[in-house]
Amino acid sequence: MGNVVLLLKSLGVSDLVNFDFMDRPPADALIRSLEQLYALGALNDRGELTKLGRRSKSKFTSSLSVLPTKLESLFST
């Protein structure tokens, strides 16, 4: 859930509690993720990404870029 929060924050979504998710996560899971990211220093006291949060998000999205290649290798015969 933390990775989703980082990604949405990086896209400029400020109000995640009222965000129109396709499949809404439980509110307590979302709030826990926000609290954990704050405790780790990825979010500041206003819920905005810190420098650390922006770096963490870029590592997450770069790891997603290899996913299509890995999936393709699983299903190709």
Side-chain angles (χ1 to χ4, degrees):
M1 185 87 237
N3 290 333
V4 172
V5 170
L6 284 175
L7 183 60
L8 289 172
K9 286 289 188 177
S10 73
L11 294 172
V13 178
S14 58
D15 185 7
L16 294 175
V17 174
N18 294 310
F19 182 73
D20 188 21
F21 287 96
M22 263 180 124
D23 188 13
R24 182 174 300 284
D28 60 326
L30 185 58
I31 292 168
R32 268 196 318 272
S33 293
L34 290 165
E35 290 171 343
Q36 288 172 347
L37 290 170
Y38 174 75
L40 292 169
L43 297 177
N44 64 21
D45 59 347
R46 293 178 299 207
E48 301 165 338
L49 282 178
T50 63
K51 193 177 214 178
L52 175 65
R54 285 188 292 278
R55 282 197 312 253
S56 300
K57 178 251 151 196
S58 65
K59 289 179 183 177
F60 170 68
T61 54
S62 65
S63 66
L64 281 180
S65 65
V66 298
L67 187 59
T69 306
K70 288 183 178 184
L71 287 174
E72 184 177 309
S73 67
L74 287 173
F75 294 107
S76 64
T77 55

